Amino acid sequence: MWISYSKMRRISTLMLLIGEISFMSLHVFCKDVINCTFQKDQRSEYRRAKRSWLWNPFYVLEEQDITEPLYIGQLKSDLDKEDGSFKYILLGDGAKTIFTIDERTGEIYLLKKLDREEKSSYTLRAQAINTVTGIPVEAESEFIVKIQDINDNAPKFINEPYFATVPEMSPEGTFVTHVTATDMDDPNYGNSARLIYSILQGQPHFSIEPKSGIIRVVSQMDREAKDQYFVVIQAKDMAGSVGGLSTTTTVTVSLSDVNDNAPKFQQKIYDMSILETSLVGEIVGAVMADDRDIGKNAEMIYKIEEKGDFSMFDIITDNLTQEGIIKLRKVLDYESKKRYSIRVKAINKHIDERFLKHGLFEDTTTVKIHVEDIDEPPVFVLKEYFMEILENASAGSYIGSVTAKDPDNSNTPVRYGLHKIKHFRFFDIDLHLGAITTTKPLDREEALWYNITVTATEATNPAHVAEVPVYIRIIDVNDNAPQLSEEYHIYVCEQSKPGEPIQTISAADRDEATVGQRFSFALVPEAANNTNFTIRDNKDNTATISTLRDGFNLHENSHFYLPIVINDNGIPPLSSTNTLTIYVCDCGMDGNTEVCKDNGMFLYLGLNFGALIAIGVCSFLILVLGIILFVKLKKKHTMLSEKGEDFRENIVKYDDEGGGEEDTEAFDIGHLTNQAILRKHKPGNRKFRTDIQSFYRMSLKLGPDIAVFKEFLMEKLEEANADTDSLQLDSLKCYAFEGTGSLAGSLSSIESTSSDIDPNIQNICDWGLQIQSFPDTHREGYVLNQI
């Protein structure tokens, strides 16, 4: 075990006093002094282990410059006879790199400089081994090497930078802020980490508590004089003694504003002016009071003292600019009053009662307002006029008058007129008096109200115009006779009984409804002897139509006409004659006329439900037959189109013009059958002969033999089908025959020289019938044939 020589004897005496203890094992650890172990032998008996390890406490001073291994202590077993049979081994934290041991003597050496702030202690283990057998003679033991501190670290402020805010005018002792510094040296060893705070800059306004670092106010400060201070604080270790290390920091202290200043107007008297025509609410001007405070402490409200002309104006506060805006409260009139004077007061919104002892936080100024005169337009006595007139009033009737005056002292005459908007053509106004009259009769049923605008203009200044609305109500008179309120569709059942009501009717009047308005109903005198229907006045502006006879026959008479007269009780009373149409209906067994209403038109024509079904069936059959016929015709047309797909159209050229349809003999068949000539024919090189006379001149009514001509065409057709070198289906063919009988005669160039027609093309309009009646199928020897 490890023991120190100074305590060896006391520990030994203590151990002798301890007897053997049965059935237990006791382990005692003496920190930094001794490690005692009791072990149980194989016979389950306990005995004290023999003393073995001895050492002195190990301490190392930090920051020592190591040029060679520095001896710090020795480990030694009491079993070591110093005969070289023991070998010491060092293990653990920093072994062989920071610490080393002499294997023979157990002396421990330091190899490098240590920093306590990096590591304050090292835990090592030591072991003694027999060099002959290699067997440990002592159990491995642990010990600690402590690093002793020196003052090698200056204090350091934390949470920098420091900012603090304190209200201005704060009393002495007011807390400002708290600064804190730390020192990495050992706080448990000496004064290396013991700090003292002091102020290097900031007196006489601030102080600091030396140990806590709390900064406080020493004297009152005015923000309006200086709003920011820089306080320099020093922290020094070694309790502030000479030779200690120190550091500094700067605390920025800002003064917050308090309301310790009253507002002050920039002027004692303000002069303003405003036009007399200004509208209520218009701005007259602005006043402003200064306040050295800021923020909400500079906010103020403006008031007008209830003196003088205060009722003519209002004042509001502009929260953005802190100005007092004076506005017009009432209409001005230069002719009545030319100048006004008011007193305006500025008062702080947020008052600090601590400073009321210095006086009220307000100020007052005088505002003088001058009214400027202008030439104003006329002014109507009323803002609007309401008038009435009967609807039957004749054109030129008087309705009412308007009045306008010039508000200026000059009292200029006024001229009246109507603004040209809707309805102005119905009325007229007197230019000088402002009397309004009608220009045509008015009808209340077309318009109940008429809204017009009257203008008033100064006679000497047409630019000055005033307007006023005039509302004219048309009073109703009884000029409309009552009418049926709707178009009635009345039905009566064939099996109706006498006195049976079939319809209730009512009336309506376009005139204005009045209290006690009554409509009466009756048959016209001509229908007084009517034996079919009657009408009963219900005395409530309605009437009931009832039957007079027993049953009706739809086939004998499908409908009846019932003329009635409707009277009103107006002044004068008016009446109208209306005719009701009553349809006879087969209502069925239940007597329901709803069926009749749904089929009203057919019943009017005398058709019943069975007839309607028959008509519908017939219409359907006709439609089906029409569709079938259309399909067959379309199919037949399609078949004809398919058969005609081989038809082709060719343009064929003849050398002879012929005499048209009537010329059947005036040609030489040899020319038509001469195939050699036709084969060698070259239209591009052919020269026209002018001395050959037209066959038409030789015969007017002779034509070719039809059989011969047909045979010729068939030969040409067979030749064309067999010729592989023939032209395309649509091609130009040359023939020597055209035909005869044309009423227009010949236009061929062959006869141009012998013709008596002027060859000059400019005279073509004088050729007459020869050109006008020329058929479309005859053209300069070309015919479109279909093969």
Side-chain angles (χ1 to χ4, degrees), residues 22 67 75 84 109 153 207 270 281 336 390 395 408 493 504 534 604 706:
S22 302
T67 57
L75 295 177
Y109 296 90
N153 290 281
S207 65
Y270 287 84
S336 300
L390 292 174
D408 299 320
C493 294
T504 299
T534 186
Y604 178 76
I706 298 302

Side-chain angles (χ1 to χ4, degrees), residues 109-357:
Y109 296 90
L110 179 65
L111 301 178
K112 56 189 300 186
K113 182 170 63 174
L114 300 178
D115 186 356
R116 191 203 66 82
E117 285 69 41
E118 292 181 1
K119 194 173 182 65
S120 61
S121 64
Y122 293 85
T123 301
L124 298 171
R125 302 189 308 277
Q127 191 174 28
I129 300 175
N130 190 306
T131 57
V132 178
T133 63
I135 299 174
V137 295
E138 289 285 356
E140 185 179 286
S141 181
E142 183 180 275
F143 63 94
I144 297 174
V145 178
K146 292 188 175 182
I147 311 304
Q148 289 184 327
D149 183 51
I150 64 171
N151 190 21
D152 58 341
N153 290 281
K156 182 179 293 185
F157 282 97
I158 60 175
N159 301 325
E160 288 186 301
Y162 290 98
F163 295 94
T165 301
V166 64
E168 65 171 329
M169 309 302 292
S170 295
E172 181 180 355
T174 301
F175 174 82
V176 178
T177 189
H178 180 207
V179 297
T180 302
T182 60
D183 196 316
M184 294 181 64
D185 292 326
D186 189 356
N188 300 319
Y189 181 76
N191 294 324
S192 298
R194 184 181 176 187
L195 305 180
I196 295 296
Y197 300 96
S198 61
I199 290 182
L200 301 182
Q201 176 183 316
Q203 295 94 349
H205 302 295
F206 303 95
S207 65
I208 190 170
E209 296 179 1
K211 294 183 179 180
S212 65
I214 295 176
I215 301 174
R216 298 185 183 276
V217 173
V218 175
S219 61
Q220 288 186 335
M221 294 164 284
D222 187 2
R223 188 202 63 82
E224 287 72 35
K226 186 176 181 180
D227 62 353
Q228 196 173 68
Y229 293 85
F230 299 97
V231 181
V232 180
I233 305 298
Q234 175 185 266
K236 190 174 184 180
D237 60 12
M238 300 300 291
S241 60
V242 178
L245 302 177
S246 64
T247 187
T248 61
T249 189
T250 300
V251 180
T252 302
V253 181
S254 300
L255 298 182
S256 60
D257 186 59
V258 297
N259 192 9
D260 59 340
N261 292 279
K264 186 78 173 177
F265 276 105
Q266 297 174 348
Q267 299 174 219
K268 284 297 181 184
I269 298 177
Y270 287 84
D271 287 308
M272 300 179 184
S273 62
I274 185 172
L275 297 175
E276 64 169 328
T277 56
S278 298
L279 301 177
V280 172
E282 287 193 22
I283 296 176
V284 180
V287 297
M288 185 173 182
D290 294 326
D291 194 322
R292 297 178 64 196
D293 297 320
I294 59 174
K296 70 175 186 178
N297 294 318
E299 293 178 1
M300 60 191 74
I301 54 176
Y302 294 90
K303 294 182 178 180
I304 297 177
E305 292 184 351
E306 295 183 1
K307 297 178 181 178
D309 303 313
F310 75 96
S311 62
M312 293 294 297
F313 305 94
D314 278 330
I315 190 168
I316 62 173
T317 303
D318 188 329
N319 294 325
L320 184 63
T321 62
Q322 292 301 308
E323 291 180 310
I325 309 299
I326 300 175
K327 291 187 175 183
L328 186 61
R329 186 176 181 182
K330 296 181 180 180
V331 178
L332 299 173
D333 185 10
Y334 175 82
E335 289 70 29
S336 300
K337 190 169 185 176
K338 299 177 177 60
R339 63 181 57 87
Y340 297 87
S341 178
I342 57 175
R343 294 276 293 172
V344 177
K345 182 183 294 184
I347 306 172
N348 272 139
K349 271 187 179 181
H350 310 283
I351 297 176
D352 193 334
E353 296 181 357
R354 294 177 299 171
F355 304 101
L356 285 177
K357 59 185 178 181

Side-chain angles (χ1 to χ4, degrees), residues 656-667 694-697 699-704 737-742:
D656 191 0
E657 181 179 8
E661 291 82 343
E662 298 179 0
D663 188 359
T664 60
E665 297 178 355
F667 66 96
S694 172
F695 291 119
Y696 178 75
R697 301 290 181 236
S699 177
L700 290 175
K701 295 186 178 180
L702 298 177
F737 178 76
E738 179 181 4
T740 61
S742 174

